[in-house]
Amino acid sequence: MKKYDVYGMGNALVDMEFEVSDAFLQTMGVEKGFMTLVDEERQFELLEYLRGERSNRSGGGSAANTIVANALFGGSSFYTCLVSNDEMGDFYTQELARAGVDTNLAERRAEGVTGKCLVMVTPDAERTMNTFLGISESLSAAELRPEALRDSEFVYSEGYLVTSPTARPAVAEAMRLAREAGVKTALSFSDPSMVKYFRLGLEEIIGEGVDLLFCNREEALLWGECRTLAKAVDSLRRIAGSFVVTLGGEGALIFDGYALHEVDPFPVAPVDTNGAGDMFAGAFLHGIAHGMTYAEAGRFASLAASKVVTVFGPRLKPEEYPRTLAEFRGGR
């Protein structure tokens, strides 16, 4: 039996979340619904306009949210990331430790600025992110912990890492090590902008293919360069042994390597979609690592995602994770 369910790698970002109007995004020239990389000066400019508005600070980063979810559902997680020795880095490291996630952060942390993500949520619950990666942009193969990786059921990466010239080859190396050790590989496209603008980087990471891929409908259509989900599914089959396509309020479509499964949604009134895909991936990975079928894991992930979109921020309160798992088990 492996020590870890999931070995994850991704950006380490402290989320700063604000409720904004569509007019604010238009006025500030922010592309709605996308993750956009910005420099620290641009992020500071936006924060100045939001000064005095109600905000929420939490640990973030797409893969980190997924890894934390698996851990708080009762699984075992390791996370490779990079933070600085500043206050934000302390905050981030402590949050991972409280969630029970093992990391590479025990060593001395470097000088620099910990990455921050400005999350702007509009009244339709859509999340728009402007991200300053800070020191996280320097994530490299030096941060990999091969022993922990080899002692895991899955290695999982977020697609956002394709934007970094050092992190992208690090993910490719992690995938190579995983294949050599018989560890299953998993990847999330993370955001339509990654498929739209960084396709070649994703192809480098995917290499000969991954065992499990996560994406949403828009990302799937962009990858397949098509307009129908059926054609997108055919395209995904060429790069992934199995995959999940989340469909928002319509549930999800899952391919287990043999058959397609339609997963019904759990209807809720969303207030913030930030972290929904991350939560889905975390619950799904936890499910299949703990004996659920792909269809069962999909239903559990759909339930978990329905919980997180009803609160602000990308994560639930720690006590809500076991409650959600107990609710699912009780309803099967």
Side-chain angles (χ1 to χ4, degrees):
M1 184 174 179
K2 298 293 183 74
K3 182 176 181 179
Y4 299 108
D5 299 329
V6 189
Y7 178 103
M9 56 190 307
N11 288 314
L13 304 170
V14 176
D15 281 359
M16 302 168 291
E17 189 166 82
F18 293 83
E19 296 177 62
V20 303
S21 64
D22 286 281
F24 174 83
L25 298 181
Q26 292 168 2
T27 299
M28 300 304 298
V30 176
E31 189 173 11
K32 182 178 177 178
F34 281 74
M35 190 288 293
T36 303
L37 293 177
V38 297
D39 58 26
E40 192 172 22
E41 183 179 357
R42 169 59 171 167
Q43 194 179 71
F44 182 78
E45 176 190 9
L46 292 168
L47 285 168
E48 280 294 291
Y49 277 94
L50 293 167
R51 184 183 295 275
E53 298 294 324
R54 183 169 69 88
S55 65
N56 176 59
R57 183 173 84 158
S58 65
S62 176
N65 295 333
T66 294
I67 293 301
V68 165
N70 172 63
L72 291 176
F73 283 128
S76 52
S77 298
F78 190 100
Y79 192 55
T80 282
C81 61
L82 198 58
V83 298
S84 187
N85 61 350
D86 53 9
E87 188 274 332
M88 289 281 194
D90 293 340
F91 172 80
Y92 194 88
T93 302
Q94 290 161 9
E95 279 221 326
L96 286 178
R98 280 194 294 268
V101 176
D102 290 344
T103 73
N104 64 302
L105 299 176
E107 299 91 358
R108 182 176 178 273
R109 287 180 269 139
E111 297 285 339
V113 180
T114 296
K116 300 181 287 292
C117 179
L118 173 58
V119 184
M120 295 160 282
V121 183
T122 41
D124 59 358
E126 180 67 85
R127 99 289 184 268
T128 299
M129 298 181 289
N130 274 202
T131 302
F132 168 62
L133 290 173
I135 198 171
S136 191
E137 189 173 16
S138 302
L139 183 71
S140 71
E143 281 70 58
L144 291 175
R145 297 297 178 264
E147 288 187 8
L149 188 155
R150 294 187 185 102
D151 204 8
S152 302
E153 294 289 340
F154 282 91
V155 61
Y156 173 84
S157 174
E158 61 183 59
Y160 289 126
L161 293 183
V162 300
T163 67
S164 165
T166 57
R168 187 173 61 252
V171 178
E173 173 65 6
M175 296 294 182
R176 184 189 68 79
L177 290 171
R179 293 183 187 108
E180 286 183 353
V183 176
K184 292 184 283 291
T185 56
L187 173 72
S188 169
F189 279 160
S190 297
D191 191 270
S193 62
M194 298 301 102
V195 182
K196 187 174 182 180
Y197 302 116
F198 297 94
R199 186 186 184 100
L200 290 178
L202 287 173
E203 290 176 349
E204 179 183 339
I205 289 175
I206 291 167
E208 60 193 60
V210 294
D211 294 306
L212 176 59
L213 177 73
F214 293 92
C215 62
N216 62 26
R217 187 203 306 267
E218 185 176 2
E219 293 155 5
L221 295 177
L222 283 168
W223 183 265
E225 298 177 322
C226 57
R227 295 183 179 181
T228 68
L229 193 55
K231 289 185 178 179
V233 163
D234 288 337
S235 179
L236 295 176
R237 281 178 170 174
R238 292 194 284 272
I239 62 169
S242 59
F243 55 80
V244 172
V245 183
T246 55
L247 305 173
E250 297 175 30
L253 187 65
I254 295 174
F255 178 63
D256 65 6
Y258 302 96
L260 285 168
H261 305 272
E262 294 183 0
V263 177
D264 292 332
F266 288 79
V268 293
V271 299
D272 179 10
T273 58
N274 180 27
D278 305 336
M279 176 66 84
F280 195 106
F284 189 87
L285 285 166
H286 180 80
I288 58 177
H290 289 264
M292 294 184 195
T293 66
Y294 274 57
E296 289 171 337
R299 289 194 295 274
F300 171 49
S302 183
L303 174 64
S306 76
K307 301 288 186 181
V308 80
V309 299
T310 63
V311 300
F312 282 100
R315 301 177 187 172
L316 297 171
K317 292 180 179 179
E319 63 271 18
E320 291 300 318
Y321 290 85
R323 287 177 186 169
T324 301
L325 181 55
E327 179 182 337
F328 174 74
R329 287 173 172 163
R332 279 198 289 180

